[in-house]
Amino acid sequence: MKGKLSRVGTTYLPVKDVEESTTWYAEHLGAKVNYKDNDKAILQFVDQSFFLVKSPLGESANFTDSYGNECFSVTFEVNGVEALANLHQDFKGRDINVGKIEDRGHAGRNFVFYDPNGNKFDVWSELSPTFRALHHQK
């Protein structure tokens, strides 16, 4: 049976300052700004819409797992370990809060990074097979 849903269309992220966050996402992650007002911004990047929603200080998209570890809710993909290492270096050069490159015991490598609001994200060096087939033709 095929899945009933086709794709993830939009991700919502809490931010304390819509203007500051919009600028950060555009400058550091290459997001295109499609709409912005005082309460929200609609950004387009990585083939998806991201809504930045003005929220109280301390809100984030992170959650805690059953072992007490802070978890991210979004993993971005890049095409290979070299691309991951290059992005990691770029982020460090931009003073983005990044973790070390990790081997988590599965294919590829990962690192985490944070936006200025404390939203934690993951980057993985492996493109999903479907995305690779559609966009990269191996």
Side-chain angles (χ1 to χ4, degrees):
M1 180 175 154
K2 283 189 121 183
K4 296 182 184 211
L5 303 173
S6 298
R7 67 183 278 275
V8 174
T10 304
T11 298
Y12 291 79
L13 297 171
V15 300
K16 62 183 178 233
D17 184 308
V18 172
E19 180 70 35
E20 175 186 290
S21 296
T22 299
T23 299
W24 188 89
Y25 276 84
E27 288 180 1
H28 295 295
L29 302 183
K32 177 184 174 206
V33 181
N34 289 334
Y35 176 84
K36 182 172 57 73
D37 62 28
N38 291 331
D39 297 317
K40 67 190 161 302
I42 303 171
L43 309 180
Q44 186 73 33
F45 68 107
V46 297
D47 291 335
Q48 190 177 42
S49 291
F50 283 77
F51 275 56
L52 305 182
V53 180
K54 187 173 183 175
S55 303
L57 190 62
E59 289 289 329
S60 79
N62 310 340
F63 64 95
T64 304
D65 70 12
S66 62
Y67 298 102
N69 300 310
E70 179 185 59
C71 296
F72 44 82
S73 58
V74 175
T75 295
F76 296 105
E77 298 174 349
V78 296
N79 194 10
V81 174
E82 184 178 342
L84 183 86
N86 290 339
L87 183 64
H88 188 260
Q89 247 342 91
D90 177 59
F91 281 10
K92 285 174 67 175
R94 293 173 180 267
D95 290 327
I96 295 175
N97 182 2
V98 296
K100 63 182 171 68
I101 294 176
E102 301 175 305
D103 178 350
R104 297 183 185 157
H106 55 68
R109 299 292 180 266
N110 299 70
F111 71 84
V112 296
F113 72 96
Y114 293 84
D115 76 1
N117 303 282
N119 291 306
K120 184 179 186 177
F121 301 104
D122 184 50
V123 182
W124 187 31
S125 66
E126 301 296 310
L127 292 176
S128 68
T130 303
F131 187 87
R132 182 185 300 280
L134 288 172
H135 299 285
H136 290 273
Q137 308 302 327
K138 232 179 180 186

